[in-house]
mmCIF file of all heavy atoms in Angstrom:
data_model
loop_
_atom_site.group_PDB
_atom_site.id
_atom_site.type_symbol
_atom_site.label_atom_id
_atom_site.label_comp_id
_atom_site.label_asym_id
_atom_site.label_seq_id
_atom_site.Cartn_x
_atom_site.Cartn_y
_atom_site.Cartn_z
ATOM 1 N N THR A 1 -9.949 -2.857 -1.174
ATOM 2 C CA THR A 1 -11.085 -1.910 -1.208
ATOM 3 C C THR A 1 -12.299 -2.375 -0.435
ATOM 4 O O THR A 1 -13.360 -1.744 -0.543
ATOM 5 C CB THR A 1 -11.483 -1.634 -2.682
ATOM 6 O OG1 THR A 1 -11.840 -2.879 -3.301
ATOM 7 C CG2 THR A 1 -10.332 -0.996 -3.449
ATOM 8 N N ALA A 2 -12.180 -3.444 0.325
ATOM 9 C CA ALA A 2 -13.332 -3.946 1.123
ATOM 10 C C ALA A 2 -13.439 -3.067 2.378
ATOM 11 O O ALA A 2 -12.843 -3.373 3.423
ATOM 12 C CB ALA A 2 -13.136 -5.414 1.485
ATOM 13 N N VAL A 3 -14.186 -1.994 2.250
ATOM 14 C CA VAL A 3 -14.223 -0.949 3.296
ATOM 15 C C VAL A 3 -14.662 -1.506 4.631
ATOM 16 O O VAL A 3 -14.041 -1.233 5.670
ATOM 17 C CB VAL A 3 -15.153 0.210 2.838
ATOM 18 C CG1 VAL A 3 -15.298 1.231 3.952
ATOM 19 C CG2 VAL A 3 -14.601 0.863 1.578
ATOM 20 N N ASP A 4 -15.726 -2.285 4.652
ATOM 21 C CA ASP A 4 -16.239 -2.800 5.920
ATOM 22 C C ASP A 4 -15.367 -3.943 6.450
ATOM 23 O O ASP A 4 -15.118 -4.051 7.657
ATOM 24 C CB ASP A 4 -17.681 -3.263 5.765
ATOM 25 C CG ASP A 4 -18.641 -2.107 5.480
ATOM 26 O OD1 ASP A 4 -18.347 -0.976 5.945
ATOM 27 O OD2 ASP A 4 -19.632 -2.305 4.783
ATOM 28 N N ALA A 5 -14.903 -4.823 5.570
ATOM 29 C CA ALA A 5 -14.066 -5.926 5.983
ATOM 30 C C ALA A 5 -12.755 -5.440 6.595
ATOM 31 O O ALA A 5 -12.125 -6.148 7.407
ATOM 32 C CB ALA A 5 -13.782 -6.867 4.806
ATOM 33 N N ALA A 6 -12.320 -4.243 6.206
ATOM 34 C CA ALA A 6 -11.084 -3.691 6.777
ATOM 35 C C ALA A 6 -11.182 -3.436 8.274
ATOM 36 O O ALA A 6 -10.159 -3.290 8.949
ATOM 37 C CB ALA A 6 -10.710 -2.385 6.045
ATOM 38 N N GLU A 7 -12.399 -3.401 8.803
ATOM 39 C CA GLU A 7 -12.603 -3.201 10.233
ATOM 40 C C GLU A 7 -12.351 -4.487 11.030
ATOM 41 O O GLU A 7 -12.253 -4.444 12.260
ATOM 42 C CB GLU A 7 -14.006 -2.689 10.504
ATOM 43 C CG GLU A 7 -14.355 -1.366 9.827
ATOM 44 C CD GLU A 7 -13.592 -0.185 10.406
ATOM 45 O OE1 GLU A 7 -13.242 -0.223 11.594
ATOM 46 O OE2 GLU A 7 -13.306 0.775 9.653
ATOM 47 N N THR A 8 -12.279 -5.631 10.379
ATOM 48 C CA THR A 8 -12.013 -6.884 11.049
ATOM 49 C C THR A 8 -10.529 -7.098 11.245
ATOM 50 O O THR A 8 -9.707 -6.418 10.613
ATOM 51 C CB THR A 8 -12.600 -8.062 10.251
ATOM 52 O OG1 THR A 8 -11.867 -8.196 9.021
ATOM 53 C CG2 THR A 8 -14.074 -7.827 9.925
ATOM 54 N N LEU A 9 -10.145 -8.095 12.070
ATOM 55 C CA LEU A 9 -8.730 -8.336 12.353
ATOM 56 C C LEU A 9 -7.964 -8.692 11.082
ATOM 57 O O LEU A 9 -6.938 -8.070 10.772
ATOM 58 C CB LEU A 9 -8.576 -9.440 13.397
ATOM 59 C CG LEU A 9 -7.131 -9.826 13.757
ATOM 60 C CD1 LEU A 9 -6.394 -8.614 14.336
ATOM 61 C CD2 LEU A 9 -7.134 -10.984 14.758
ATOM 62 N N ASP A 10 -8.446 -9.683 10.348
ATOM 63 C CA ASP A 10 -7.751 -10.100 9.121
ATOM 64 C C ASP A 10 -7.791 -8.989 8.085
ATOM 65 O O ASP A 10 -6.797 -8.739 7.373
ATOM 66 C CB ASP A 10 -8.382 -11.385 8.577
ATOM 67 C CG ASP A 10 -8.040 -12.593 9.436
ATOM 68 O OD1 ASP A 10 -7.079 -12.510 10.228
ATOM 69 O OD2 ASP A 10 -8.732 -13.630 9.290
ATOM 70 N N GLY A 11 -8.949 -8.367 7.931
ATOM 71 C CA GLY A 11 -9.066 -7.309 6.946
ATOM 72 C C GLY A 11 -8.166 -6.137 7.247
ATOM 73 O O GLY A 11 -7.584 -5.553 6.325
ATOM 74 N N ARG A 12 -8.030 -5.799 8.531
ATOM 75 C CA ARG A 12 -7.182 -4.680 8.912
ATOM 76 C C ARG A 12 -5.726 -4.940 8.521
ATOM 77 O O ARG A 12 -5.049 -4.068 7.961
ATOM 78 C CB ARG A 12 -7.289 -4.444 10.411
ATOM 79 C CG ARG A 12 -6.465 -3.274 10.917
ATOM 80 C CD ARG A 12 -6.917 -2.803 12.291
ATOM 81 N NE ARG A 12 -6.865 -3.854 13.289
ATOM 82 C CZ ARG A 12 -7.925 -4.414 13.845
ATOM 83 N NH1 ARG A 12 -9.153 -4.041 13.497
ATOM 84 N NH2 ARG A 12 -7.778 -5.336 14.775
ATOM 85 N N ARG A 13 -5.271 -6.152 8.790
ATOM 86 C CA ARG A 13 -3.878 -6.499 8.435
ATOM 87 C C ARG A 13 -3.656 -6.450 6.922
ATOM 88 O O ARG A 13 -2.644 -5.929 6.417
ATOM 89 C CB ARG A 13 -3.542 -7.899 8.970
ATOM 90 C CG ARG A 13 -3.433 -7.940 10.484
ATOM 91 C CD ARG A 13 -3.281 -9.356 10.987
ATOM 92 N NE ARG A 13 -3.043 -9.376 12.423
ATOM 93 C CZ ARG A 13 -3.083 -10.491 13.169
ATOM 94 N NH1 ARG A 13 -3.363 -11.648 12.589
ATOM 95 N NH2 ARG A 13 -2.837 -10.435 14.443
ATOM 96 N N THR A 14 -4.608 -7.005 6.178
ATOM 97 C CA THR A 14 -4.484 -7.009 4.711
ATOM 98 C C THR A 14 -4.546 -5.603 4.157
ATOM 99 O O THR A 14 -3.782 -5.234 3.241
ATOM 100 C CB THR A 14 -5.590 -7.865 4.091
ATOM 101 O OG1 THR A 14 -5.541 -9.179 4.646
ATOM 102 C CG2 THR A 14 -5.426 -7.961 2.578
ATOM 103 N N ALA A 15 -5.439 -4.779 4.685
ATOM 104 C CA ALA A 15 -5.586 -3.411 4.195
ATOM 105 C C ALA A 15 -4.318 -2.606 4.426
ATOM 106 O O ALA A 15 -3.855 -1.857 3.573
ATOM 107 C CB ALA A 15 -6.778 -2.730 4.856
ATOM 108 N N TRP A 16 -3.731 -2.732 5.624
ATOM 109 C CA TRP A 16 -2.508 -1.990 5.916
ATOM 110 C C TRP A 16 -1.367 -2.445 5.013
ATOM 111 O O TRP A 16 -0.551 -1.634 4.564
ATOM 112 C CB TRP A 16 -2.136 -2.128 7.380
ATOM 113 C CG TRP A 16 -2.841 -1.121 8.239
ATOM 114 C CD1 TRP A 16 -3.941 -1.318 9.031
ATOM 115 C CD2 TRP A 16 -2.521 0.275 8.375
ATOM 116 N NE1 TRP A 16 -4.333 -0.152 9.634
ATOM 117 C CE2 TRP A 16 -3.481 0.829 9.261
ATOM 118 C CE3 TRP A 16 -1.535 1.072 7.834
ATOM 119 C CZ2 TRP A 16 -3.441 2.192 9.609
ATOM 120 C CZ3 TRP A 16 -1.505 2.422 8.191
ATOM 121 C CH2 TRP A 16 -2.447 2.965 9.061
ATOM 122 N N ALA A 17 -1.301 -3.740 4.754
ATOM 123 C CA ALA A 17 -0.217 -4.243 3.891
ATOM 124 C C ALA A 17 -0.390 -3.729 2.457
ATOM 125 O O ALA A 17 0.578 -3.220 1.838
ATOM 126 C CB ALA A 17 -0.200 -5.765 3.914
ATOM 127 N N ALA A 18 -1.596 -3.837 1.920
ATOM 128 C CA ALA A 18 -1.825 -3.484 0.501
ATOM 129 C C ALA A 18 -1.885 -1.991 0.277
ATOM 130 O O ALA A 18 -1.364 -1.483 -0.733
ATOM 131 C CB ALA A 18 -3.119 -4.129 0.031
ATOM 132 N N ASN A 19 -2.508 -1.242 1.192
ATOM 133 C CA ASN A 19 -2.780 0.176 0.959
ATOM 134 C C ASN A 19 -1.720 1.118 1.535
ATOM 135 O O ASN A 19 -1.677 2.284 1.158
ATOM 136 C CB ASN A 19 -4.130 0.541 1.535
ATOM 137 C CG ASN A 19 -5.280 -0.172 0.838
ATOM 138 O OD1 ASN A 19 -5.108 -0.725 -0.247
ATOM 139 N ND2 ASN A 19 -6.437 -0.184 1.478
ATOM 140 N N ALA A 20 -0.915 0.636 2.457
ATOM 141 C CA ALA A 20 0.097 1.501 3.094
ATOM 142 C C ALA A 20 1.490 0.971 2.875
ATOM 143 O O ALA A 20 2.368 1.686 2.363
ATOM 144 C CB ALA A 20 -0.202 1.645 4.572
ATOM 145 N N ALA A 21 1.743 -0.302 3.244
ATOM 146 C CA ALA A 21 3.105 -0.850 3.132
ATOM 147 C C ALA A 21 3.547 -0.961 1.681
ATOM 148 O O ALA A 21 4.687 -0.610 1.328
ATOM 149 C CB ALA A 21 3.194 -2.193 3.827
ATOM 150 N N ALA A 22 2.658 -1.467 0.807
ATOM 151 C CA ALA A 22 3.020 -1.644 -0.605
ATOM 152 C C ALA A 22 3.336 -0.301 -1.273
ATOM 153 O O ALA A 22 4.362 -0.175 -1.971
ATOM 154 C CB ALA A 22 1.933 -2.383 -1.342
ATOM 155 N N PRO A 23 2.510 0.756 -1.107
ATOM 156 C CA PRO A 23 2.887 2.054 -1.690
ATOM 157 C C PRO A 23 4.204 2.586 -1.137
ATOM 158 O O PRO A 23 4.979 3.230 -1.876
ATOM 159 C CB PRO A 23 1.712 2.957 -1.285
ATOM 160 C CG PRO A 23 0.552 2.031 -1.165
ATOM 161 C CD PRO A 23 1.130 0.751 -0.594
ATOM 162 N N ALA A 24 4.484 2.348 0.154
ATOM 163 C CA ALA A 24 5.756 2.804 0.706
ATOM 164 C C ALA A 24 6.917 2.092 0.029
ATOM 165 O O ALA A 24 7.952 2.725 -0.287
ATOM 166 C CB ALA A 24 5.796 2.546 2.211
ATOM 167 N N THR A 25 6.762 0.807 -0.242
ATOM 168 C CA THR A 25 7.803 0.060 -0.962
ATOM 169 C C THR A 25 7.995 0.595 -2.368
ATOM 170 O O THR A 25 9.108 0.783 -2.845
ATOM 171 C CB THR A 25 7.451 -1.432 -0.996
ATOM 172 O OG1 THR A 25 7.443 -1.945 0.337
ATOM 173 C CG2 THR A 25 8.460 -2.222 -1.834
ATOM 174 N N LEU A 26 6.890 0.870 -3.071
ATOM 175 C CA LEU A 26 6.964 1.377 -4.446
ATOM 176 C C LEU A 26 7.605 2.770 -4.470
ATOM 177 O O LEU A 26 8.362 3.084 -5.398
ATOM 178 C CB LEU A 26 5.593 1.410 -5.063
ATOM 179 C CG LEU A 26 4.952 0.042 -5.375
ATOM 180 C CD1 LEU A 26 3.514 0.203 -5.836
ATOM 181 C CD2 LEU A 26 5.776 -0.694 -6.454
ATOM 182 N N ALA A 27 7.327 3.572 -3.476
ATOM 183 C CA ALA A 27 7.946 4.903 -3.421
ATOM 184 C C ALA A 27 9.453 4.783 -3.234
ATOM 185 O O ALA A 27 10.220 5.518 -3.861
ATOM 186 C CB ALA A 27 7.326 5.727 -2.290
ATOM 187 N N ARG A 28 9.866 3.856 -2.390
ATOM 188 C CA ARG A 28 11.312 3.632 -2.205
ATOM 189 C C ARG A 28 11.950 3.162 -3.507
ATOM 190 O O ARG A 28 13.033 3.640 -3.904
ATOM 191 C CB ARG A 28 11.544 2.590 -1.105
ATOM 192 C CG ARG A 28 13.005 2.149 -1.006
ATOM 193 C CD ARG A 28 13.202 1.133 0.119
ATOM 194 N NE ARG A 28 12.443 -0.099 -0.088
ATOM 195 C CZ ARG A 28 12.825 -1.078 -0.920
ATOM 196 N NH1 ARG A 28 13.935 -0.974 -1.634
ATOM 197 N NH2 ARG A 28 12.091 -2.173 -1.010
ATOM 198 N N LEU A 29 11.289 2.241 -4.196
ATOM 199 C CA LEU A 29 11.822 1.737 -5.465
ATOM 200 C C LEU A 29 11.888 2.838 -6.533
ATOM 201 O O LEU A 29 12.801 2.888 -7.335
ATOM 202 C CB LEU A 29 10.974 0.562 -5.943
ATOM 203 C CG LEU A 29 11.041 -0.700 -5.084
ATOM 204 C CD1 LEU A 29 9.915 -1.649 -5.430
ATOM 205 C CD2 LEU A 29 12.397 -1.378 -5.226
ATOM 206 N N SER A 30 10.899 3.728 -6.505
ATOM 207 C CA SER A 30 10.891 4.853 -7.436
ATOM 208 C C SER A 30 12.096 5.740 -7.196
ATOM 209 O O SER A 30 12.740 6.214 -8.146
ATOM 210 C CB SER A 30 9.594 5.645 -7.298
ATOM 211 O OG SER A 30 9.621 6.813 -8.091
ATOM 212 N N ARG A 31 12.429 5.995 -5.943
ATOM 213 C CA ARG A 31 13.591 6.808 -5.622
ATOM 214 C C ARG A 31 14.873 6.102 -6.086
ATOM 215 O O ARG A 31 15.791 6.735 -6.607
ATOM 216 C CB ARG A 31 13.672 7.053 -4.118
ATOM 217 C CG ARG A 31 12.550 7.920 -3.556
ATOM 218 C CD ARG A 31 12.860 8.413 -2.150
ATOM 219 N NE ARG A 31 13.066 7.325 -1.202
ATOM 220 C CZ ARG A 31 12.106 6.720 -0.521
ATOM 221 N NH1 ARG A 31 10.840 7.094 -0.691
ATOM 222 N NH2 ARG A 31 12.389 5.766 0.342
ATOM 223 N N GLU A 32 14.944 4.812 -5.868
ATOM 224 C CA GLU A 32 16.169 4.063 -6.172
ATOM 225 C C GLU A 32 16.389 3.884 -7.683
ATOM 226 O O GLU A 32 17.539 3.922 -8.153
ATOM 227 C CB GLU A 32 16.120 2.696 -5.503
ATOM 228 C CG GLU A 32 16.192 2.740 -3.979
ATOM 229 C CD GLU A 32 16.046 1.370 -3.352
ATOM 230 O OE1 GLU A 32 15.878 0.370 -4.110
ATOM 231 O OE2 GLU A 32 16.071 1.290 -2.121
ATOM 232 N N HIS A 33 15.297 3.673 -8.427
ATOM 233 C CA HIS A 33 15.442 3.323 -9.836
ATOM 234 C C HIS A 33 14.977 4.425 -10.796
ATOM 235 O O HIS A 33 15.117 4.283 -12.014
ATOM 236 C CB HIS A 33 14.642 2.024 -10.127
ATOM 237 C CG HIS A 33 15.165 0.845 -9.377
ATOM 238 N ND1 HIS A 33 16.281 0.144 -9.798
ATOM 239 C CD2 HIS A 33 14.766 0.260 -8.227
ATOM 240 C CE1 HIS A 33 16.512 -0.846 -8.945
ATOM 241 N NE2 HIS A 33 15.616 -0.799 -7.967
ATOM 242 N N GLY A 34 14.429 5.490 -10.263
ATOM 243 C CA GLY A 34 14.124 6.660 -11.093
ATOM 244 C C GLY A 34 12.857 6.557 -11.935
ATOM 245 O O GLY A 34 12.637 7.395 -12.791
ATOM 246 N N PHE A 35 12.021 5.553 -11.706
ATOM 247 C CA PHE A 35 10.810 5.472 -12.521
ATOM 248 C C PHE A 35 9.729 6.405 -11.974
ATOM 249 O O PHE A 35 9.725 6.782 -10.786
ATOM 250 C CB PHE A 35 10.283 4.031 -12.638
ATOM 251 C CG PHE A 35 9.943 3.337 -11.331
ATOM 252 C CD1 PHE A 35 8.787 3.659 -10.632
ATOM 253 C CD2 PHE A 35 10.747 2.310 -10.843
ATOM 254 C CE1 PHE A 35 8.443 3.003 -9.451
ATOM 255 C CE2 PHE A 35 10.419 1.636 -9.667
ATOM 256 C CZ PHE A 35 9.260 1.982 -8.961
ATOM 257 N N THR A 36 8.816 6.804 -12.849
ATOM 258 C CA THR A 36 7.650 7.595 -12.445
ATOM 259 C C THR A 36 6.619 6.649 -11.846
ATOM 260 O O THR A 36 6.309 5.607 -12.424
ATOM 261 C CB THR A 36 7.065 8.340 -13.636
ATOM 262 O OG1 THR A 36 8.038 9.260 -14.141
ATOM 263 C CG2 THR A 36 5.805 9.120 -13.232
ATOM 264 N N LEU A 37 6.068 6.994 -10.696
ATOM 265 C CA LEU A 37 5.103 6.166 -10.002
ATOM 266 C C LEU A 37 3.738 6.870 -9.999
ATOM 267 O O LEU A 37 3.636 8.014 -9.591
ATOM 268 C CB LEU A 37 5.586 5.942 -8.568
ATOM 269 C CG LEU A 37 4.620 5.174 -7.640
ATOM 270 C CD1 LEU A 37 4.334 3.775 -8.158
ATOM 271 C CD2 LEU A 37 5.219 5.119 -6.217
ATOM 272 N N VAL A 38 2.724 6.144 -10.481
ATOM 273 C CA VAL A 38 1.349 6.633 -10.441
ATOM 274 C C VAL A 38 0.579 5.743 -9.464
ATOM 275 O O VAL A 38 0.590 4.515 -9.577
ATOM 276 C CB VAL A 38 0.699 6.605 -11.815
ATOM 277 C CG1 VAL A 38 -0.742 7.153 -11.736
ATOM 278 C CG2 VAL A 38 1.522 7.413 -12.820
ATOM 279 N N HIS A 39 -0.106 6.390 -8.524
ATOM 280 C CA HIS A 39 -0.846 5.677 -7.491
ATOM 281 C C HIS A 39 -2.260 6.279 -7.400
ATOM 282 O O HIS A 39 -2.443 7.461 -7.669
ATOM 283 C CB HIS A 39 -0.115 5.793 -6.151
ATOM 284 C CG HIS A 39 -0.786 5.094 -5.009
ATOM 285 N ND1 HIS A 39 -0.831 3.714 -4.876
ATOM 286 C CD2 HIS A 39 -1.468 5.603 -3.939
ATOM 287 C CE1 HIS A 39 -1.478 3.410 -3.766
ATOM 288 N NE2 HIS A 39 -1.885 4.528 -3.187
ATOM 289 N N TYR A 40 -3.204 5.471 -6.972
ATOM 290 C CA TYR A 40 -4.600 5.914 -6.958
ATOM 291 C C TYR A 40 -5.136 5.823 -5.514
ATOM 292 O O TYR A 40 -4.980 4.817 -4.837
ATOM 293 C CB TYR A 40 -5.436 5.045 -7.902
ATOM 294 C CG TYR A 40 -4.887 5.100 -9.309
ATOM 295 C CD1 TYR A 40 -3.930 4.177 -9.739
ATOM 296 C CD2 TYR A 40 -5.282 6.100 -10.187
ATOM 297 C CE1 TYR A 40 -3.398 4.256 -11.017
ATOM 298 C CE2 TYR A 40 -4.754 6.179 -11.471
ATOM 299 C CZ TYR A 40 -3.816 5.273 -11.871
ATOM 300 O OH TYR A 40 -3.265 5.350 -13.147
ATOM 301 N N SER A 41 -5.759 6.923 -5.111
ATOM 302 C CA SER A 41 -6.259 6.987 -3.735
ATOM 303 C C SER A 41 -7.744 7.299 -3.744
ATOM 304 O O SER A 41 -8.422 7.150 -4.769
ATOM 305 C CB SER A 41 -5.471 8.038 -2.965
ATOM 306 O OG SER A 41 -5.842 8.035 -1.600
#
């Protein structure tokens, strides 16, 4: 959630991993295992 730090090189990589890649992984796991997934945006 570090909005300004996300504009830096390291922050951009961390933000994409946590806010985009991780939810994509959880969505895949939800499809595979049938659990309900709640996410906050």
Side-chain angles (χ1 to χ4, degrees):
T1 58
V3 175
D4 293 331
E7 300 291 331
T8 67
L9 179 60
D10 288 342
R12 181 162 58 249
R13 290 173 174 168
T14 304
W16 275 101
N19 296 344
T25 296
L26 291 173
R28 172 180 61 80
L29 293 166
S30 174
R31 294 194 301 273
E32 292 176 0
H33 297 280
F35 59 74
T36 298
L37 175 60
V38 181
H39 180 72
Y40 302 90
S41 187

